Amino acid sequence: MTRTRIAVVSAGLSVPSSTRLLADRLAEAAQRSLRERGADPVVDVIELRDHARDLANNLLTGFPAGELKTALDTVVTADGLIAVTPVFNASYSGLFKTFFDVVEADALSGMPVLLGATGGSARHSLVLEHAMRPMFAYLRSIVVPTAVYAASEDWGGAGDASGGLADRIDRAAGELAGLAVGSGRSSRPDPYDEPTPFLDLLGGN
Amino acid sequence: MQFGIFTVGDVTTDPTTGRTPSEAERIKAMVAIALKAEEVGLDVFATGEHHNPPFVPSSPTTMLGYIAARTERLILSTATTLITTNDPVKIAEDYAMLQHLADGRVDLVLGRGNTGPVYPWFGQDIRQGIPLAVENYHLLHRLWREDVVDWEGRFRTPLQGFTSTPRPLDGVPPFVWHGSIRSPEIAEQAAYYGDGFFANNIFWPKEHYIRLINLYRRRFEHYGHGTADEAIVGLGGQVFMRKNSQDAVREFRPYFDNAPVYGHGPSLEEFTEQTPLTVGSPQQVIDRTLKFREYFGDYQRQLFLMDHAGLPLKTVLEQLDILGEEVVPVLRKEFAARRPAGVPDAPTHASLREAAARTATDTAKEQR
């Protein structure tokens, strides 16, 4: 069985948080789907609230301290990423953006990503498409077609003609699992272990 | 092992008095600090190179030439020389000239520079930082070793039949260290040429530099310059000392809290835990510095950042007295006691000249 590592980034601030609730549902669905594909899923959850001060410090000092470094490494070496934020002022939260602002350039290039967002009303659901998807496009991640928005009403709703929250979660998680299972990202060599040989850097000179 | 200081050359308001030195004062202060370094028995003075305020040292060889004339023993170096935005031809000329004036007391640390606008100001593109560092150094390396160079590259106008003058003193180019905070490519470059690798060791946790230095050591051996333990490593460090550590913390805190680089972020206590910054007694600085050897292996050069963040000259000179009288003599003894046989010293002009003479003799014997 191929070990497949999924990193979950949740930017929810309250405890308990509906953002974390959605993140957990997405992670469970992704694990189910990975097992169905014969993979051995491992899930690491990162709560950005735990790293709030280190994130602010990273903006100023330029380096991730302690646990934040571990969290960043966990994310960039995963086979797939589930990224979930609450909607603040018609976009992702500042904490969510800050985390992705301190990820090394190119580190999320090619990363399969499932987007999730939560809010008090369904009117904000296009944040997924207008704010989150462009950011991950910039990072050259591969964002799965289905992104999942959960408004307060979704947690009790039976859904509509296009399916309820549970259906959307399953569809999105299946799409992520399909890309993550063969990504090979978590077994990539470390550039510090296998540097580009100098003559390749030098090229034709 | 060599000990010394490196300076960024920032003009920063003293947060405790609100006073900002003039450029003239800061430049003269840098010179005073360099002269003091020799007076208290340090081996190396290295200056930064910057092309934007609030930094003054845009012309390192002018400053180092002046210091060379006023010192006897001090090795004059840089931290760092911008290999990306300077013309490698001008670096070859300027530092060979300095080498002659200073009787060989010159080496360089090359770096890329991370100030975005400096690249376009000098006609370059920061996104080409690594390729610039690779190509420019390759040319510099040839200019110091080949009397006549034909050259064509991506980044500067071609050269046909070019001779860089003056030729390096005694035919021995200045020793070069490659500095990097985060690029494995630069560690690889240093290893390929058998040059030194300098880790500034100030801004990031040690784990980060351990990976870079281990990569450099491993590849130094791979390229046949010696064993990994024989690779030439230099480290930065940042300290503030008083007899009692509480006094050091109390005095340094306002400078730390308002420092341009890390101020208003982590606390002094967090930053000293996360990075090699040490604020305390001379003994604490000795203990912490000796630990570097355990993290990074036996190394050849230790430079301290002493004058920054608005510290007044008087304070910096006091710091250098403590460094020279109480810290470095102990470090010399302790490092020497711990150092296994076979670990080389940092190359100097004299040692490089002897090595070149040995090679020439060997070659002559083989030809006979």
Side-chain angles (χ1 to χ4, degrees):
Chain A
M1 280 209 295
T2 328
R3 167 160 292 208
T4 304
R5 279 195 31 230
I6 300 294
V8 180
V9 170
S10 170
L13 294 179
S14 54
V15 181
S17 104
S18 55
T19 299
R20 175 62 188 268
L21 190 58
L22 176 60
D24 286 346
R25 293 283 305 276
L26 290 166
E28 284 159 23
Q31 287 187 83
R32 270 199 309 278
S33 183
L34 283 166
R35 282 196 201 97
E36 285 165 11
R37 291 159 201 270
D40 171 22
V42 181
V43 170
D44 296 300
V45 181
I46 289 141
E47 282 276 8
L48 295 189
R49 189 197 161 101
D50 296 345
H51 305 287
R53 289 190 55 217
D54 282 338
L55 282 167
N57 288 344
N58 193 160
L59 291 179
L60 301 185
T61 63
F63 71 83
E67 299 289 307
L68 175 58
K69 170 83 170 97
T70 310
L72 286 163
D73 287 346
T74 301
V75 168
V76 303
T77 59
D79 293 297
L81 169 64
I82 296 171
V84 191
T85 179
V87 173
F88 284 9
N89 290 343
S91 187
Y92 34 64
S93 74
L95 186 63
F96 183 85
K97 179 66 158 53
T98 301
F99 181 80
F100 290 100
D101 283 351
V102 304
V103 170
E104 297 264 346
D106 297 330
L108 290 176
S109 178
M111 172 73 84
V113 178
L114 192 176
L115 303 177
T118 59
S121 101
R123 290 187 194 92
H124 297 294
S125 58
L126 282 173
V127 158
L128 290 167
E129 309 302 329
H130 290 177
M132 294 179 78
R133 200 177 287 272
M135 184 179 86
F136 284 96
Y138 172 79
L139 295 169
R140 294 200 289 274
S141 301
I142 301 169
V143 183
V144 300
T146 305
V148 181
Y149 185 88
S152 301
E153 65 207 40
D154 282 307
W155 299 107
D160 51 28
S162 65
L165 179 61
D167 291 342
R168 300 204 299 280
I169 287 172
D170 283 342
R171 189 166 70 239
E175 290 166 2
L176 181 73
L179 291 175
V181 76
S183 91
R185 291 182 60 94
S186 60
S187 51
R188 269 193 204 171
D190 183 332
Y192 289 82
D193 291 337
E194 289 182 31
T196 308
F198 185 75
L199 290 176
D200 291 350
L201 294 175
L202 192 57
N205 288 314
Chain B
M1 185 156 163
Q2 296 171 340
F3 294 90
I5 53 174
F6 64 135
T7 175
V8 180
D10 56 318
V11 175
T12 304
T13 304
D14 182 336
T16 65
T17 60
R19 193 174 175 286
T20 309
S22 68
E23 288 181 330
E25 279 178 79
R26 185 66 175 103
I27 289 165
K28 289 299 177 89
M30 289 171 74
V31 171
I33 287 164
L35 302 184
K36 184 76 173 179
E38 173 156 296
E39 180 198 317
V40 302
L42 301 181
D43 308 307
V44 184
F45 171 82
T47 176
E49 177 187 330
H50 298 275
H51 300 276
N52 54 320
F55 307 104
V56 292
S58 56
S59 179
T61 52
T62 309
M63 170 170 281
L64 294 178
Y66 179 81
I67 295 169
R70 301 187 57 188
T71 51
E72 299 289 329
R73 293 186 308 98
L74 197 62
I75 294 173
L76 308 164
S77 187
T78 58
T80 61
T81 294
L82 303 177
I83 186 61
T84 47
T85 48
N86 283 307
D87 182 358
V89 170
K90 199 71 174 82
I91 296 178
E93 295 172 342
D94 283 347
Y95 285 87
M97 176 67 96
L98 178 64
Q99 205 194 12
H100 283 271
L101 291 171
D103 298 317
R105 291 183 284 132
V106 174
D107 59 41
L108 300 83
V109 181
L110 300 180
R112 296 205 306 285
N114 59 3
T115 309
V118 171
Y119 286 77
W121 285 333
F122 287 83
Q124 302 297 352
D125 179 344
I126 194 168
R127 290 167 298 182
Q128 297 294 327
I130 297 272
L132 278 163
V134 168
E135 178 180 306
N136 285 353
Y137 181 62
H138 196 61
L139 173 55
L140 175 61
H141 195 265
R142 286 188 56 195
L143 290 168
W144 275 338
R145 287 167 177 82
E146 298 171 33
D147 287 340
V148 183
V149 170
D150 293 342
W151 164 267
E152 198 171 331
R154 286 170 64 195
F155 298 112
R156 88 178 300 291
T157 197
L159 299 169
Q160 298 297 334
F162 180 79
T163 298
S164 168
T165 60
R167 303 305 300 146
L169 178 65
D170 304 323
V172 176
F175 187 69
V176 168
W177 309 72
H178 300 263
S180 179
I181 297 180
R182 56 202 307 172
S183 304
E185 294 91 339
I186 299 302
E188 170 75 6
Q189 180 188 31
Y192 174 81
Y193 290 100
D195 293 340
F197 183 73
F198 185 81
N200 99 337
N201 197 30
I202 285 186
F203 298 128
W204 286 62
K206 64 175 186 302
E207 288 73 19
H208 179 75
Y209 296 111
I210 289 173
R211 301 177 73 201
L212 271 176
I213 290 171
N214 286 347
L215 163 60
Y216 161 67
R217 287 186 184 281
R218 211 168 54 242
R219 299 295 285 178
F220 182 92
E221 182 166 314
H222 167 84
Y223 285 115
H225 301 296
T227 66
D229 294 338
E230 292 166 355
I232 306 297
V233 173
L235 292 177
Q238 190 179 7
V239 299
F240 188 87
M241 299 164 285
R242 288 298 180 197
K243 189 159 175 288
N244 299 312
S245 58
Q246 297 91 328
D247 293 338
V249 170
R250 195 179 308 117
E251 186 177 345
F252 190 64
R253 190 183 300 280
Y255 296 95
F256 176 87
D257 286 347
N258 294 289
V261 181
Y262 34 66
H264 311 287
S267 67
L268 175 59
E269 285 73 13
E270 285 170 330
F271 202 72
T272 44
E273 191 192 307
Q274 292 161 4
T275 76
L277 170 66
T278 308
V279 181
S281 67
Q283 188 58 48
Q284 283 174 292
V285 169
I286 290 166
D287 294 342
R288 192 91 187 271
T289 309
L290 284 171
K291 278 256 187 275
F292 291 172
R293 186 189 157 271
E294 292 168 28
Y295 304 144
F296 306 113
D298 285 285
Y299 62 106
Q300 282 71 23
R301 173 178 286 186
Q302 173 68 53
L303 300 184
F304 293 101
L305 177 65
M306 309 296 291
D307 66 321
H308 64 122
L311 286 165
L313 177 60
K314 177 172 172 292
T315 306
V316 175
L317 297 178
E318 288 165 6
Q319 292 294 307
L320 291 176
D321 276 327
I322 303 173
L323 191 66
E325 286 164 19
E326 299 178 43
V327 174
V328 166
V330 181
L331 286 178
R332 284 193 201 281
K333 212 174 81 201
E334 297 293 330
F335 272 111
R338 289 163 168 76
R339 188 186 187 95
V343 174
D345 287 326
T348 59
H349 184 73
S351 75
L352 292 170
R353 196 179 49 198
E354 282 164 29
R358 265 199 311 277
T359 311
T361 316
D362 293 347
T363 312
K365 275 183 197 155
E366 278 164 27
Q367 282 168 354
R368 232 178 276 152

